[in-house]
Structure formats: C-alpha cells, structure tokens
Amino acid sequence: MLDILITRIRQKNRTVGFPERPAELPPLFRGLPEISQKRCAPGCGACVTACPTGAVTVNPKTSGQGKIKIDLGRCLFCMDCVRACPEKAIGFSRDYRLATRARKDLLFSGNVFPVAGAPERRMRKLFGRSLKLRQVSAGGCNACEADVNVLNTVVYDLGRFGIQFVASPRHADGLLITGPVTRNMEKALEKTYAAVPDPKLVIAVGACAVSGGPYIDRPESNNGADSMLRVDLFVPGCPPHPLTILDGLLRLIGKIK
C-alpha cells in the first residue's frame, strides 16, 4: 500500500488541463487543412486523383477562394493529397477544433472554419450539467471506438464535465455513433435510438459515421448516421483525436465556446 501511495505522489496529477490550458498534441498530429488557393496550378487535379474517398474537389471555373474544396466529412487525413500536389497547395495544421453542428459546414475551402457554436438555451439547460451517452459501433473498425474509450481514462477524465457513457439506451440522453452504419446494423441502431427517451441527441464520430468514410457508396453501407437519423454534432477524422472529440462534446453542451 505504501508503494502505491509513493508511486501516486510521484506521478502527480496525470489529467490533461484542457480546456483551461492549451491542448497537448502529438508531433505528427494532423488537424484542420491549410489550403493555398493561389498555388493551385490550372488543370492539375493531382490531389483529386490521389484522394481515396473523393473528399477533394477542384473547380477549374473558379479562381481564388473556393477553387479547392475539401469535404472534411469524407477526409481520412491520410496526406495523399499533400504528397500528390506539386505546388504544395494543401497542408494540415495543428488545429484540433473540427466538430460542427451541420454537415454542410464540413465543406472547407480554406476560409474561417465554422466550429460547433453555442447550443440552444433549452439544450444547455437539459444537458449542460449532465449528459449520458450510449455508444453504438455501427460497423466500425474499432479505431474511433478506441479513441472514444480513451476519454474515460484518467488522462481525459470525461466524467469531470458531467459526461458519461451508459450501458443502456434507456438511461441515455443520446447516442454517440461510430462506423458507417452497415446494413447489418440498421435495425440495431433503429431500436437503440427508439429506446432513448426524448429529447435526445445524436453525435456522429469519425469519417465513417459522418459520410461512410472509405466505405462510402458501398452496397453494405448506409454512408453514415445522418442517412438514418438527425445528427446534432459531426466530429470528422479517421479516427479523430480524443481532444477533437472532447472539444466537440464540450461545445455541444456549452462548456466551451
């Protein structure tokens, strides 16, 4: 017992200081894309060809802002577009704030990114102090599921914000969905959603849950959660970093702005 106490004293507080302190991100972290529209060479399109999910589009009829557009809902943050572009018109920043309230807001062309805004007063009153979520893996590869699970560890300590994952949808305020929503998971997701009492929230985490990700338009996939349910928060990434997920959840309930 004494050894345990001594070890605990040496380790000190291992919980990250976010959001009071700046986020601590790994050196190879890839966040919000950086797009230089002026560098885009006419008639190139190498980034479009390289993208495995069709997330990058280039409109040759448009000059300046809006020529290159990246659908962050489809983006895997794989760097293929960066490596393919001979003019280095695309890069990735270290901005982890990627969650949005609307799917259309994930269409990014290098301008100011509309992160999830303050919730409605009624939502903040209902869920601002206590939010219980039922996590549903709707055909995911377990990468997003693993990063969601990390939020329960001592490092992120999700419970300190009043947010917890529960075992039963009947005890939940909403669903956190990962995976592309495969055909085999349709009925399970429908039943789980129906079991959550009203009013309820739906959160789509990861490229698969937002758009279908690498499985987009496959016959076995439904191209994400919003093909079946009304989604209140979209968190892109493949997988999104735990701080990206946490930032989105806190914005959803009005803990940060």
Side-chain angles (χ1 to χ4, degrees):
M1 184 64 185
L2 182 59
D3 291 340
I4 294 175
L5 291 174
I6 292 174
T7 301
R8 182 66 185 86
I9 292 172
R10 287 175 177 172
Q11 290 179 344
K12 299 181 180 179
N13 185 1
R14 303 187 68 181
T15 304
V16 295
F18 180 84
E20 286 78 14
R21 295 201 296 270
E24 299 177 10
L25 299 165
L28 298 179
F29 174 78
R30 301 165 193 164
L32 184 69
E34 295 176 322
I35 302 175
S36 176
Q37 302 286 357
K38 294 181 179 179
R39 289 186 178 182
C40 184
C44 177
C47 56
V48 177
T49 304
C51 182
T53 60
V56 185
T57 56
V58 176
N59 188 348
K61 297 181 180 180
T62 303
S63 60
Q65 197 67 32
K67 185 177 183 181
I68 304 174
K69 187 171 289 185
I70 300 178
D71 184 349
L72 298 183
R74 290 187 176 207
C75 183
L76 306 182
F77 295 76
C78 64
M79 297 283 286
D80 282 358
C81 59
V82 176
R83 287 185 283 264
C85 181
E87 303 299 329
K88 306 301 180 185
I90 302 176
F92 285 91
S93 73
R94 294 178 60 78
D95 191 346
Y96 59 90
R97 298 167 297 177
L98 299 171
T100 62
R101 298 289 302 279
R103 176 69 178 88
K104 62 180 179 61
D105 289 339
L106 292 175
L107 302 177
F108 183 64
S109 58
N111 50 350
V112 177
F113 183 68
V115 294
E120 298 82 1
R121 182 178 179 182
R122 179 171 177 268
M123 182 186 295
R124 187 168 62 249
K125 184 177 180 180
L126 286 171
F127 307 121
R129 298 180 63 185
S130 176
L131 178 64
K132 312 297 183 185
L133 297 172
R134 176 69 171 97
Q135 199 273 320
V136 179
S137 177
C141 70
N142 207 38
C144 291
E145 291 83 352
D147 277 356
V148 168
N149 187 56
V150 164
L151 295 177
N152 292 311
T153 65
V154 68
V155 176
Y156 297 99
D157 191 14
L158 188 64
R160 63 191 162 123
F161 302 107
I163 307 174
Q164 294 178 315
F165 291 100
V166 295
S168 171
R170 300 188 186 282
H171 302 158
D173 299 309
L175 301 180
L176 188 150
I177 303 170
T178 54
V181 188
T182 58
R183 300 297 179 189
N184 290 338
M185 282 298 296
E186 278 184 14
K187 187 60 67 176
L189 181 59
E190 288 176 357
K191 289 183 176 180
T192 305
Y193 179 78
V196 179
D198 292 322
K200 48 195 168 187
L201 302 171
V202 175
I203 302 162
V205 172
C208 288
V210 175
S211 68
Y215 312 105
I216 193 166
D217 293 332
R218 301 286 184 180
E220 302 86 358
S221 167
N222 278 293
N223 289 349
D226 69 342
S227 63
M228 295 179 59
L229 307 173
R230 181 185 63 82
V231 176
D232 298 282
L233 184 72
F234 296 89
V235 186
C238 186
H241 191 277
L243 280 175
T244 299
I245 304 172
L246 179 57
D247 177 76
L249 292 175
L250 295 182
R251 290 179 186 278
L252 180 65
I253 60 175
K255 294 285 186 181
I256 58 176
K257 299 179 181 180

